[in-house]
Amino acid sequence: MQRTLAVGAMGGTIGMTAPAPGAAAQPRLDADALVRGVPQLADLAGLRTTTVCTKPSASIDLVDVLTALGWARDQVDDGAHGVVLTHGTDTLEETAYLLDVLWDRPAPLVVTGAMRQVDLPSTDAPANLIAAARVALAPEARERGVLVVLNDEVHLAARVTKHSSTALDAFGSPGFGPVGRVHEHHPRFTAPRTPRPPALPAPGPGPVDVALVAAPLADDGRLVRAVLDAGFTAVVVEGTGLGHVSADTFGELAAALGRGVVVVVASRTARGGTGRATYGYLGSETRLIEAGALMAGELTGPKARLLLHVLLSAGYRDAQLAAALEQRSLV
Ligand code: ASP
């Protein structure tokens, strides 16, 4: 039986070329052009294509992600065996994670991109697109949620992060590793399927109403205050170490929590995540928890921001919100 693969383009380097020799790259290729550039794809499956957008990935918004989600659902409901979305690598992990939280089909949804544009001799675009297609068509990839495939590695959307701005092996899942590899043209999964929490309802297409703020050395809390004055209703703080902030920032956050603002604390470290019971000083994780903050566990700040937005949009509050966040905190 001829298999069917749906390929959706969302911009990024994988769809960029230089408008003139030596010029800097710009978005230029739609999904049809991308697929035409990799004729081997047609040997794998019958192809359906769509262009969701042709943006650099920092400009992707919720409308783009929700459009991709709706299209991907329609494709698998209409018989596609798997879906590949191409995306800029800079925010790929965020779109993949947001889709993962919302993806409610057993069929594989695979996100890929490229570190080197298609008109460079060292481009990784065709290899990544073919590897992503092979994974999306693999029965072993079913019921694993959204997967990220680059450099012949398969990562869970919840764990993956871009850890190099230039290298071809730019993506990794710190402290966890890939769940599979594409080896001699075949996907090989090295990790079993893990139970997935139920998919969440999609938020509306409006802006993300959760701020993400850093809390570095000598932070005096002004940024948190400014963000809340700007009207954000919830904030994710990327704290240091186990999820720590300065005494001044703690004061601002404690006051905000007292006013009912939702505060989630993530760790800016790559591995280990936030703690619950190690330190007791002002600004430590135990004091933040006592003040009412929720902890993001091993979810990165950018992913915790998106999850919190989805949960708040779906009406989760108080104990239900804490439980839902904990269930998805990867610890
Ligand atoms: N550097 C980017 C990429 O790899 C540009 C983007 O994220 O759109 O695709």
Side-chain angles (χ1 to χ4, degrees):
M1 185 188 61
Q2 163 82 318
R3 297 178 300 178
T4 304
L5 178 72
V7 180
M10 298 182 74
T13 296
I14 195 166
M16 293 192 197
T17 56
Q26 291 189 16
R28 292 158 75 81
L29 306 184
D30 64 9
D32 287 333
L34 264 177
V35 162
R36 258 199 318 277
V38 190
Q40 298 87 338
L41 279 176
D43 298 336
L44 300 180
L47 302 173
R48 300 181 195 155
T49 56
T50 199
T51 302
V52 177
C53 61
T54 54
K55 292 181 179 178
S57 72
S59 294
I60 296 283
D61 57 26
L62 288 197
V63 175
D64 300 317
V65 179
L66 296 175
T67 304
L69 175 71
W71 172 79
R73 282 178 175 151
D74 288 349
Q75 293 305 309
V76 299
D77 293 351
D78 196 22
H81 291 78
V83 179
V84 171
L85 286 171
T86 61
H87 193 285
T89 57
D90 292 353
T91 66
L92 187 151
E93 68 208 60
E94 288 167 79
T95 290
Y97 180 65
L98 182 51
L99 289 167
D100 186 51
V101 160
L102 308 174
W103 186 239
D104 51 4
R105 304 289 195 271
L109 174 51
V110 178
V111 188
T112 191
M115 291 300 293
R116 311 265 165 87
Q117 70 210 47
V118 288
D119 52 356
L120 293 178
S122 62
T123 185
D124 49 339
N128 285 344
L129 196 48
I130 292 175
R134 291 190 195 281
V135 172
L137 291 167
E140 302 84 354
R142 292 177 67 79
E143 294 185 72
R144 289 182 188 259
V146 175
L147 299 170
V148 168
V149 175
L150 286 105
N151 196 38
D152 279 343
E153 290 185 341
V154 186
H155 294 271
L156 294 183
R159 298 274 183 180
V160 74
T161 186
K162 181 175 179 178
H163 54 52
S164 166
S165 56
T166 57
L168 291 176
D169 63 342
F171 284 79
S173 297
F176 191 70
V179 293
R181 290 201 157 71
V182 180
H183 182 83
E184 295 181 331
H185 312 308
H186 298 290
R188 263 193 204 167
F189 282 87
T190 47
R193 288 183 178 81
T194 43
R196 284 167 40 75
L200 293 169
V208 176
D209 201 24
V210 178
L212 173 62
V213 302
L217 180 81
D219 184 38
D220 64 4
R222 254 182 301 167
L223 186 57
V224 167
R225 206 178 327 138
V227 153
L228 295 173
D229 287 350
F232 284 95
T233 53
V235 55
V236 173
V237 182
E238 251 175 2
T240 53
L242 287 170
H244 302 149
V245 299
S246 69
D248 286 341
T249 302
F250 176 79
E252 291 295 337
L253 291 173
L257 284 157
R259 298 195 302 273
V261 173
V262 177
V263 175
V264 172
V265 182
S267 171
R268 73 179 190 182
T269 62
R271 287 182 285 134
T274 52
R276 297 208 150 265
T278 302
Y279 295 105
Y281 55 81
L282 217 55
S284 67
E285 79 285 2
T286 63
R287 299 293 286 269
L288 285 160
I289 291 168
E290 266 165 35
L294 303 170
M295 305 307 277
E298 289 210 42
L299 270 187
T300 62
K303 289 181 187 174
R305 166 179 171 264
L306 293 170
L307 175 60
L308 188 56
H309 177 70
V310 171
L311 290 170
L312 291 173
S313 307
Y316 284 72
R317 297 289 183 275
D318 305 319
Q320 206 196 8
L321 176 68
L325 193 73
E326 195 175 334
Q327 190 187 25
R328 292 169 170 82
S329 64
L330 309 177
V331 290

